[in-house]
Amino acid sequence: MNKLAPSILSADFSRLGEHVSEIEKAGADMVHVDVMDGHFVPNISFGAAVMKSLVGRTGLPFDVHLMIENPDRYISDFVTENTEYITVHQEACPHIHRTVQNIKSLGVKAGVAINPGTPVCLLEDILEDVDMILVMSVNPGFGGQKFINRTIDKIRDLDGIRSRRNLTFEIEVDGGVTSQNVGHLIDAGTDIAVAGSAVFRGDIKANVESFREHMK
Ligand code: DX5
Ligand code: ZN
């Protein structure tokens, strides 16, 4: 089944607990946690302490997206009873194979993300080891940006490679995803759709329901 992972980057941080309960009640599948360090991306969001304040407040799994340099130093901080995936960026990891093994050794699923300017071929040698590939469909750093259309081809490529090589990794798409384009993204091979502003702007319940409708 396809999953919807709302990004709390677009939530009201002063009401994070309430917002997470709201997406849970409305039928979201995971909480997407965008961690930014002001180095790998030109913005700072929040760290593990903020994420940990949500443990026990929701039964939803955490989908942690580390947009940080040197992620190996911080990975273990993000392992909680809610953490299902930890994703690092290919561009931030010179020893990506080791980093993926490090995440898995902590009992968490490992994801690798690629920026819009990074080709799928750079992932070739780790596809057997990862649980998920995150295709960035905006340049990471900010919510509310416009979806970059060319990135749909990357999802199709990954989906093709997955069936040709008989692999099992999931495909996630993140950035500019709306209830209007999510159907095309799923047709292209997406398993997990991340959405920030399209969920948290306006009526959260109605937004999640509209995603659900278009994800069938
Ligand atoms: C971008 C983040 C995204 C972002 C998505 O750097 O990784 O998860 O919050 O926000 P929208 O859906 O508004 O593009
Ligand atoms: Zn993200």
Side-chain angles (χ1 to χ4, degrees), residues 2 12 17 42-43 55 72 77 86 126 132 135-136 139 158 166 168 172 178 181 186 192 197 206:
N2 301 304
D12 175 349
N43 194 13
V55 172
D72 292 272
D77 294 347
I86 294 182
I126 46 150
M132 186 245 275
V135 176
M136 284 306 304
N139 287 296
L158 281 163
N166 215 4
T168 55
E172 180 171 64
T178 65
N181 63 16
I186 283 168
I192 307 165
S197 46

Side-chain angles (χ1 to χ4, degrees), residues 7 9-10 32 34 36 65 67 136 138-145 174-177 194-198:
S7 164
L9 186 66
S10 297
H32 184 80
D34 281 315
M36 303 177 180
H65 179 192
M67 287 163 275
M136 284 306 304
V138 298
N139 287 296
F142 305 92
Q145 302 181 78
D174 183 7
V177 178
V194 175
S197 46

Side-chain angles (χ1 to χ4, degrees), residues 34-41 43 45-47 64-75 77-78 86-93:
D34 281 315
V35 180
M36 303 177 180
D37 66 352
H39 291 277
F40 180 67
V41 289
N43 194 13
S45 57
F46 50 76
V64 182
H65 179 192
L66 296 180
M67 287 163 275
I68 64 176
E69 285 177 4
N70 274 320
D72 292 272
R73 283 176 61 184
Y74 302 99
I75 284 165
D77 294 347
F78 289 91
I86 294 182
T87 296
V88 294
H89 268 261
Q90 189 276 338
E91 303 86 355
C93 299

Side-chain angles (χ1 to χ4, degrees), residues 50-136:
V50 170
M51 187 194 86
K52 282 179 177 159
S53 74
L54 298 169
V55 172
R57 290 201 65 135
T58 177
L60 291 181
F62 295 161
D63 172 33
V64 182
H65 179 192
L66 296 180
M67 287 163 275
I68 64 176
E69 285 177 4
N70 274 320
D72 292 272
R73 283 176 61 184
Y74 302 99
I75 284 165
S76 61
D77 294 347
F78 289 91
V79 177
T80 68
E81 59 199 68
N82 288 65
T83 309
E84 181 167 356
Y85 299 85
I86 294 182
T87 296
V88 294
H89 268 261
Q90 189 276 338
E91 303 86 355
C93 299
H95 305 288
I96 190 75
H97 183 271
R98 180 186 291 150
T99 305
V100 164
Q101 299 310 324
N102 181 10
I103 296 171
K104 295 202 315 195
S105 74
L106 297 168
V108 175
K109 292 182 187 163
V112 174
I114 47 170
N115 285 333
T118 302
V120 164
C121 63
L122 287 179
L123 298 171
E124 227 163 78
D125 290 342
I126 46 150
L127 291 177
E128 277 164 36
D129 301 292
V130 295
D131 297 293
M132 186 245 275
I133 296 295
L134 193 176
V135 176
M136 284 306 304

Side-chain angles (χ1 to χ4, degrees), residues 127-179:
L127 291 177
E128 277 164 36
D129 301 292
V130 295
D131 297 293
M132 186 245 275
I133 296 295
L134 193 176
V135 176
M136 284 306 304
S137 39
V138 298
N139 287 296
F142 305 92
Q145 302 181 78
K146 196 175 169 309
F147 186 87
I148 299 170
N149 270 319
R150 268 198 330 273
T151 53
I152 296 194
D153 293 336
K154 286 190 192 175
I155 299 171
R156 285 200 194 99
D157 283 356
L158 281 163
D159 189 39
I161 296 170
R162 177 165 62 175
S163 27
R164 276 197 303 283
R165 287 173 57 182
N166 215 4
L167 299 174
T168 55
F169 62 85
E170 291 176 284
I171 300 173
E172 180 171 64
V173 60
D174 183 7
V177 178
T178 65
S179 57

